[in-house]
Amino acid sequence: MNILNLFKVSINAVANNKMRSFLSMLGIIIGVAAVIIMMSIGQGSKESIRKELSTMGTNLLTIRPGADMRGGVRQDPSAMQTLKMADYQRILDEKKFVSYVSPEVTSSGQVIYGNNNTTSTIYGESTEYLDIKQWGLEEGVNFTEEDIRKASKVCIVGATIVKELFGEGKEAEAIGKNIRFKSIPLRIVGVLESKGYNSWGMDQDNVIIAPYTCVMKRIAAQTYFSSIVCSALTEELSDAAIEELTQMLRSNHKLKAEAVDDFTIRSQAEMMETMSSTMDTVTVILVVAAAFSLLVAGIGIMNIMLVSVTERTKEIGLRMAVGATGLVISLQFLIESVLISLTGGLLGVLLGCLVGQFVIPVMGMPSSIPAWSIYVSFAVCTAIGVIFGYIPARKAANMDPIEAIRHE
């Protein structure tokens, strides 16, 4: 049995029926390309989200009022007012594993300057908020501790606010101007560096940041915080910081040992893991959906090979008559099936990589093709060629040579 000769015979058989072979490959091409494209979108989205979250610091911690909602139990509304000034003050005074801390109060509404207006969200924060979020200033300065003590009506704004109220590129001119948020005048002292849109399509520059005392007293009229954001000393100390914060808050809220926390602390690393897990699940669903086309393509290859066996019955009989064994005949048709499948897989990989590298980024979607997806694609194509080529090959090998030669 000459394997090289079998390859030559198989290649000639495929080449002699170019259109039929190409149509058989088409399903594999589309299937492999679809799988690679789906995987590139999923991987690209995951990397984009991780990169975006990491820019805010992997040591970021967020404390929110109310018990953990992941169990699906809805909390009583009054339980959402559990973060008070005493909690913030205690964290400031006793923190060991936390570097920066800022209470947070938010309110949404219309912001106005002259005849221009837009809708935005105002965040009441401390002076350390920009350090926690690793956010720089394009123009001007941050508000001060004195502004917080006096609940001064000052603010720093994002690039979108400047664009909507003052015009494109007017960051420097916006400094010192008074805008109104829910009829409360606020003097702009700084303009934030532009961050653009995040992975969820939210404009990160459509934001106003003011002293938390100002937002609490003059705008939101509340005595509790929406959340408290902190920054652990290092990413490695995030768990220690969470434990430290948990003990402080439980003590402040006078919770008994068996009582459930009336607050939730989330770390940035945990958020990254959750988002990655979610994106992995979405990617698997997309890949499975695309992989069904490979199943259909495999059935198409089996159908074409069965037709080929029927058409070449006489040829098979002659080869058997001159000494070819059933194993040799079987291998010939298996090789043909694998050749069609692998060639289609190669073309599919090229198509998928081209779309993933050039077309998807042009559409504004993140894309990253994992190298292992290409290796898996080739392995799957080989398996399809063998599995779906087995029945036609077996049919050819089991032919009676005398009956095959008589076949018209």
Side-chain angles (χ1 to χ4, degrees):
M1 179 174 59
N2 192 327
I3 296 294
L4 183 61
N5 187 53
L6 281 178
F7 267 101
K8 289 179 181 179
V9 172
S10 299
I11 291 171
N12 288 333
V14 172
N16 289 336
N17 296 279
K18 295 182 179 65
M19 182 56 67
R20 187 168 70 184
S21 299
F22 175 74
L23 292 175
S24 300
M25 294 175 192
L26 195 58
I28 296 290
I29 294 171
I30 294 172
V32 170
V35 168
I36 289 178
I37 291 169
M38 292 300 102
M39 293 183 76
S40 70
I41 292 174
Q43 184 71 16
S45 299
K46 186 168 75 172
E47 290 179 4
S48 175
I49 290 170
R50 290 183 67 88
K51 183 179 179 181
E52 186 175 302
L53 291 175
S54 65
T55 59
M56 294 187 288
T58 52
N59 54 344
L60 176 67
L61 304 174
T62 304
I63 309 170
R64 298 192 184 280
D68 196 336
M69 293 291 289
R70 286 182 293 182
V73 179
R74 186 175 295 277
Q75 303 298 313
D76 184 86
S78 63
M80 302 307 289
Q81 300 181 13
T82 56
L83 297 180
K84 303 284 187 175
M85 181 65 73
D87 298 321
Y88 168 56
Q89 195 60 52
R90 182 163 183 181
I91 295 171
L92 273 181
D93 296 339
E94 301 180 15
K95 60 186 174 68
K96 294 179 181 178
F97 300 107
V98 172
S99 54
Y100 301 111
V101 57
S102 173
E104 189 168 83
V105 185
T106 62
S107 181
S108 297
Q110 192 176 55
V111 54
I112 301 170
Y113 176 77
N115 296 324
N116 299 323
N117 67 84
T118 186
T119 301
S120 184
T121 300
I122 189 167
Y123 290 80
E125 306 287 352
S126 75
T127 56
E128 298 181 350
Y129 182 72
L130 297 186
D131 294 310
I132 295 171
K133 291 290 188 177
Q134 300 181 2
W135 209 342
L137 289 168
E138 183 74 26
E139 297 284 346
V141 295
N142 194 4
F143 48 81
T144 64
E145 290 292 340
E146 184 69 17
D147 292 324
I148 291 176
R149 280 193 294 272
K150 294 181 178 179
S152 300
K153 292 179 282 187
V154 295
C155 68
I156 52 181
V157 298
T160 298
I161 300 295
V162 174
K163 178 182 175 182
E164 294 295 329
L165 300 184
F166 303 99
E168 190 80 44
K170 302 287 186 179
E171 284 81 4
E173 296 178 24
I175 304 298
K177 297 292 193 305
N178 285 304
I179 58 176
R180 283 180 292 134
F181 186 90
K182 290 187 176 180
S183 76
I184 304 298
L186 298 169
R187 179 169 56 88
I188 299 174
V189 295
V191 177
L192 294 162
E193 291 178 348
S194 177
K195 281 194 173 185
Y197 287 83
N198 62 19
S199 300
W200 299 277
M202 297 174 62
D203 186 0
Q204 299 177 92
D205 299 323
N206 187 16
V207 63
I208 304 170
I209 302 174
Y212 68 88
T213 49
C214 173
V215 177
M216 288 178 75
K217 295 176 182 178
R218 305 181 189 278
I219 297 174
Q222 64 187 52
T223 59
Y224 56 91
F225 299 126
S226 305
S227 61
I228 298 176
V229 289
C230 308
S231 181
L233 290 173
T234 63
E235 183 181 354
E236 292 72 23
L237 291 174
S238 291
D239 289 340
I242 290 174
E243 181 62 28
E244 176 185 60
L245 293 169
T246 300
Q247 294 303 321
M248 288 183 190
L249 293 174
R250 285 186 65 86
S251 174
N252 256 27
H253 298 176
K254 296 179 173 58
L255 297 175
K256 295 181 180 180
E258 68 276 6
V260 177
D261 295 340
D262 59 357
F263 56 88
T264 305
I265 303 177
R266 288 277 181 273
S267 68
Q268 194 76 337
E270 186 180 354
M271 290 176 63
M272 291 172 72
E273 289 175 7
T274 301
M275 292 304 301
S276 294
S277 177
T278 302
M279 288 309 304
D280 285 341
T281 302
V282 172
T283 302
V284 168
I285 293 171
L286 292 174
V287 169
V288 168
F292 274 106
S293 59
L294 287 175
L295 178 63
V296 175
I299 294 172
I301 288 176
M302 182 171 65
N303 183 46
I304 290 299
M305 293 306 298
L306 284 171
V307 171
S308 179
V309 168
T310 302
E311 288 180 347
R312 295 159 62 188
T313 299
K314 195 166 187 177
E315 173 195 331
I316 294 169
L318 288 171
R319 294 198 64 192
M320 286 182 168
V322 296
T325 63
L327 177 61
V328 171
I329 299 298
S330 178
L331 277 175
Q332 178 188 335
F333 283 94
L334 269 179
I335 291 171
E336 287 183 28
S337 175
V338 172
L339 277 175
I340 292 173
S341 184
L342 278 180
T343 305
L346 177 62
L347 294 174
V349 167
L350 290 175
L351 178 61
C353 289
L354 287 173
V355 173
Q357 288 290 331
F358 302 106
V359 178
I360 294 176
V362 170
M363 296 168 64
M365 298 174 67
S367 175
S368 176
I369 301 173
W372 58 266
S373 67
I374 296 175
Y375 307 140
V376 170
S377 296
F378 278 113
V380 170
C381 289
T382 303
I384 287 174
V386 173
I387 293 170
F388 290 95
Y390 175 76
I391 293 176
R394 186 66 182 269
K395 179 182 177 182
N398 290 337
M399 282 186 180
D400 184 330
I402 297 175
E403 293 297 325
I405 292 172
R406 290 175 178 174
H407 181 79
E408 293 296 334

